[in-house]
Amino acid sequence: MENPIQEILEKQVMTVAKAMEDKLDDEIASLEKLDEDDLEVLRERRLKQMKKMAEKKKRWMSLGHGEYSEIHSEKDFFTVVKASERVVCHFYRENWPCKVMDKHMSILAKQHIETRFVKIQAEKSPFLAERLKIVVLPTLALIKNTKVDDYVVGFNELGGKDDFSTEDLEERIARAQVIHYEGESSHKPKSTTQVRRNVRQSARSDSDSE
């Protein structure tokens, strides 16, 4: 039996491809000054871009993008962040605030297949928690190219209550440029130089925590 999640993601890929093709047709229709050879070159170029994007999304799906999954060891954490360019990792414990975060992370994982969404139990990951200075739970580590660029700590930046919307969290994560976000935001991405920590450097010591 075919995996229903993979089936949904494949449909999303086809939808995106169709939308891109429709956009291409609209652009071509407006370029009346171009001759047939120019139009054919343009169409061929865009079709190659579409094919490249479809291949990229297929690879993302093979890495576990599109679903919200749990990492069961610190070693697996380093494997995940090395495999995917963008990762959102939820450090959690079994409590209500973390369950609220789980709900929104599950939704965003399906909406943003360009990013890997995972969670790891903080109390079972002492090396990571200490290295990344995880104190408040829930905390989201926003990771790009193996580096933790930013954090979402608790609900302080989400209104301070547990009734924030998925869109609120989506916009906050987008400020760190860890997801592709086309919505209008009143916040400009802020500098994250001070909170950046190199996960690759941490990987050299992860065997000590096992």
Side-chain angles (χ1 to χ4, degrees), residues 181-185:
Y181 181 63
E182 298 180 357
E184 294 184 2
S185 173

Side-chain angles (χ1 to χ4, degrees), residues 12-28:
Q12 289 179 344
V13 171
M14 294 302 297
T15 300
V16 171
K18 180 63 169 58
M20 291 179 68
E21 188 172 4
D22 290 343
K23 184 178 180 181
L24 172 62
D25 290 337
D26 291 341
E27 290 178 359
I28 290 176

